[in-house]
Every structure is written in C-alpha cells, then in structure tokens.
Amino acid sequence: MPSALQAAAKYIVDHPGDFGLDPIRTTANKIGVSSNVLVRLAQRLGFDSFEAFRSPFRDALVTDRESELGQDWLTTLRTEDAFSNTQAKLAQNEQNVVARSLRLMKPEKVRESIAYMTHSRRCFVTATRASYALAYYFSYTGRMAHPGIQLVPRHFGSATDDLLDADHQDCLLAITVHPYSADTIQSMRFAKQRGLRLILISDSDVIAPGVEPDIAFTVSTRALHPFSCFTGAMAVLECLLGHLFDAGGDAARQRIDAYQKAREDTGAYWQPSKPPRLRRT
C-alpha cells in the first residue's frame, strides 16, 4: 500500500472503536490524511463505499456495549400506544427467557458436554417439529467444529433408524419441549440402551419415564403467544457452539476457511450486480 493507506489501515487496527464512532473527517484528521484516503482504502479492501467499510465496526461496537445502554428504550415503548406497549412486553419476555436459560447453564455441565461431544466418534443431534430447526442449525454449524456431528433422522424415517449402529463411542444431543415428542423420547431411550452419552436440552429435567440424560440443560420456554419460545434454547446452543469451535482450534478454523472458499468458488453466495458505469461525454 502507499504510505497514506498504510497509516490509515494501522490506525483502524489500533483504534477500531474510534473508527466505528467517528465521522470520516474526524478519523482523517486524527490520522493526518485526507478523507479521500479512507475512501480509497475502503475500495482497496473491496467495499463499495466508506460507510460499508465502517459498518461492521459500528455494529460490533454497539453490540458489545449493549449491556451498558440500560432499559430506557423499553420504558419508552411502554408509555406509547397499545401496539408499542405489546412490543415492550414481548421484548422483555425474550430477555427474561434468555437470561434465565443462560443462568441455569452451569459451567461444569458445559465442560462435560463439550468433552462428550469432542471425544465421541459421532455426536448425533435430534429433534422434531419446531425444535427440528434448532437441531438443524446446530448440526449444520457444529460439524465444522466437529465433523462427527450428524443430524438425525437424515431423511423421513425415525431417528432410531440412524442409531442402529451407534454405541458407547457416540453421543446424542436431543432437543424437546412440552408437548414432548414421542419420537425424540424413543430415540433417547434407544440411545441409552446402546450405551450412548445423552445430552438433553428441554424445559424440564424430567420429561418421561426411562429418559435419564447424562447432562440436562433446562431452558425457559415461556411465551406470550400459544407456542413455546425458543430463544432460550438457541442461546444455550450458541454457547455450546462457541465452546466447540474453541475446542476445535486450528483444525476447525481450517474447515471453516475451506467451506467458505468452496462456496465462493461454486458461486453459492449471491453477489449484487453493479450498475454500468456512465461514460463522460
């Protein structure tokens, strides 16, 4: 890079928070360059504009400081019209569900669960109905940290069909909330008979006779609508994924890089077409 671009890049690396907050002219003055240098740096790095370049820094800064911003926005919503008041109630419930689920997620249980998953030959993940979306997401993402993670059932059969050759070298992560899935309960009982370690994510420690998980994460599913709220379960799964990738180390990062490259090479990601450049006359 030319020296001016080098100075701008180094400033951004050293002061990511300031770069996310300051207007372009303020940042340029702090570096001692023109605003155009920052625009050229953004283009050099593949961004369409300076704002597109700065946006990830702003998003990260706001997210990291969210806990410091208080709950005034909820109070304001409650004092507005009936629709806004309902939104405040829904948002507060989501916060409560996530907070309770994470508070019940004890580190010793997490540590043991990660050990079960990483030391297993295969870690099967199962759920049905609405919970299936959680299982799919966890298996789709988690397999990059641990290639042995498999979603069951793989097709339209029963999860038990995919556990026929499983044994004590494997484990099963099951997700079910009230009303509990008979298929999931059956797969958990079968897994225990086969000697698998069982990790359960549910709204209760005891869901059916004969279901005795090695580890149970109890999540809150309270909702202000007729169905269960899954944000608490998702928060628990996200924490487990974070630990899995941390345990996966360099090998996990290499798998992610290979995955991203394969998707880019095959054109799997949508790219907006750029408008044609106008000729000067």
Side-chain angles (χ1 to χ4, degrees), residues 136 140-141 143-144 254-271:
Y136 179 87
Y140 179 85
T141 306
R143 63 182 178 170
M144 287 179 243
Q254 291 171 7
R255 280 190 290 271
I256 295 171
D257 292 341
Y259 172 87
Q260 296 288 6
K261 186 177 186 307
R263 290 294 175 268
E264 292 169 0
D265 291 346
T266 57
Y269 297 131
W270 178 79
Q271 296 291 340

Side-chain angles (χ1 to χ4, degrees), residues 207-277:
I207 63 173
V211 175
E212 299 178 357
D214 295 280
I215 300 172
F217 293 106
T218 305
V219 298
S220 173
T221 58
R222 179 179 184 269
L224 302 185
H225 53 72
F227 296 92
S228 297
C229 173
F230 286 103
T231 50
M234 178 60 83
V236 168
L237 289 172
E238 289 285 4
C239 286
L240 291 175
L241 284 172
H243 284 290
L244 273 177
F245 279 105
D246 187 56
D250 292 337
R253 284 187 286 273
Q254 291 171 7
R255 280 190 290 271
I256 295 171
D257 292 341
Y259 172 87
Q260 296 288 6
K261 186 177 186 307
R263 290 294 175 268
E264 292 169 0
D265 291 346
T266 57
Y269 297 131
W270 178 79
Q271 296 291 340
S273 57
K274 294 184 178 180
R277 298 182 66 178

Side-chain angles (χ1 to χ4, degrees), residues 5 15 66 73 94 126 149-150 197 201 213 234 248:
L5 294 187
H15 306 89
E66 190 66 35
W73 62 279
E94 297 297 318
T126 191
I149 291 180
Q150 298 182 18
R197 296 287 191 180
I201 296 178
M234 178 60 83

Side-chain angles (χ1 to χ4, degrees), residues 45 63 72 84 113 156 160 176 187 211 233 245 263:
L45 296 176
T63 300
D72 291 345
S84 298
S113 296
F156 291 100
T160 305
T176 185
S187 66
V211 175
F245 279 105
R263 290 294 175 268

